[in-house]
Amino acid sequence: MKRRGHRPSQAPASRPRFYGRHAVLAALANPERTVRKIWGTREALSALDLPPVIPITYADAADLGRLVPSDAPHQGLVAEVDPLEEIWLGDLLEQGAEDKRPLLVLDQVTDPHNVGAILRSAAAFDALGIVTQDRHAPPETGTLARSAAGTLEVVPWVRVVNLSRALDEIAEAGFWRVGLTGHAKATLGEVMGEGRVALVLGAEGEGMRQNTEAHCDQLARLPISPKVESLNVSNAAAVALYAVNTRG
């Protein structure tokens, strides 16, 4: 694989534990993912066709509950996995060079539930991938994997050291960078055009940082009712991706 563009300075140190059927089965189905060990109830494991190289431990539901966060819905399955190999931004941009799939850029969105939900929307609307800053985004965890419902395994996720430089590289690849913010005058439909679009979304509550806004070609808002002040970032991502995919 080519190694072009921005990437993180260091890899995660620990192995995450995924739980729940969607997250575990998707990890097993991903050839790029190494599953190191699986714990499960006899009922849950009997339904799986597991490769013999993966160590298996039978456990009851209470024992599994002690392997995951409190009250986490493990559905009888827990897997210890290696984090996915990091992706270079240049490689991702090259993969989408012949199409108009949208790209999502997240500016310090740290809630794993939100990032997981954004991954689901990215998969649903066939986004090219998501780009985050490595120090201000959640690591791969069971919580994130469950929120993503298996899509952590299929949506490319690039972590970069410097988001502003990454946005410059995204522009050089021919993307029109649209920052979504409630204070913009124009709507997304008015500014996104017909070419390749990178949707830039800010953190929960604080929104995009000023320097991130400065690296967007255009700021836009979603035309929501005055009954609501703003949308959750994962909801905004889903609406924006739908708008891009259905533009005339």
Side-chain angles (χ1 to χ4, degrees):
M1 178 181 287
K2 297 177 182 176
R3 303 175 79 80
R4 303 189 304 113
H6 300 282
R7 69 166 295 167
S9 54
Q10 58 185 9
S14 60
R15 289 178 181 157
R17 286 178 180 172
F18 290 177
Y19 52 85
R21 285 186 58 81
H22 282 301
V24 173
L25 292 181
L28 287 166
N30 183 3
E32 303 299 321
R33 174 77 74 182
T34 299
V35 178
R36 294 292 182 178
K37 185 175 182 178
I38 291 182
W39 297 264
T41 62
R42 291 191 177 275
E43 180 182 9
L45 289 171
S46 66
L48 305 182
D49 183 16
L50 295 171
V53 295
I54 301 178
I56 295 171
T57 299
Y58 291 97
D60 60 28
D63 290 333
L64 294 176
R66 287 188 278 272
L67 296 174
V68 298
S70 178
D71 298 324
H74 54 71
Q75 298 177 303
L77 288 172
V78 178
E80 184 175 86
V81 304
D82 286 348
L84 290 173
E85 183 179 350
E86 299 290 356
I87 301 170
W88 289 69
L89 178 58
D91 291 332
L92 178 65
L93 295 174
E94 189 175 89
Q95 289 173 23
E98 303 302 321
D99 59 57
K100 290 186 178 180
R101 283 178 290 167
L103 184 64
L104 284 170
V105 181
L106 308 181
D107 182 21
Q108 300 192 342
V109 179
T110 57
D111 187 313
H113 296 93
N114 278 334
V115 175
I118 289 169
L119 285 165
R120 291 183 72 177
S121 295
F125 295 107
D126 197 26
L128 178 60
I130 71 170
V131 179
T132 67
Q133 206 174 1
D134 63 344
R135 289 180 303 140
H136 299 285
E140 290 185 21
T141 61
T143 300
L144 190 148
R146 178 163 177 84
S147 297
T151 58
L152 174 60
E153 309 299 326
V154 296
V155 176
W157 181 354
V158 176
R159 297 172 183 266
V160 299
V161 174
N162 187 303
L163 200 62
S164 297
R165 285 205 300 267
L167 283 165
D168 288 340
E169 187 175 348
I170 288 166
E172 290 167 6
F175 282 85
W176 185 248
R177 302 162 300 178
V178 179
L180 292 178
T181 175
H183 64 74
K185 294 182 179 179
T187 65
L188 176 60
E190 293 169 341
V191 307
M192 64 183 166
E194 299 179 359
R196 305 172 79 194
V197 176
L199 298 166
V200 187
L201 296 100
E204 304 90 352
E206 295 84 4
M208 278 183 294
R209 292 170 296 165
Q210 186 174 356
N211 192 43
T212 303
E213 287 193 5
H215 282 79
C216 293
D217 298 295
Q218 187 86 45
L219 299 179
R221 60 180 173 83
L222 297 175
I224 62 175
S225 161
K227 296 175 184 176
V228 212
E229 183 180 351
S230 63
L231 288 176
N232 171 280
V233 64
S234 63
N235 292 334
V239 172
L241 284 170
Y242 174 79
V244 171
N245 274 13
T246 56
R247 57 189 164 174

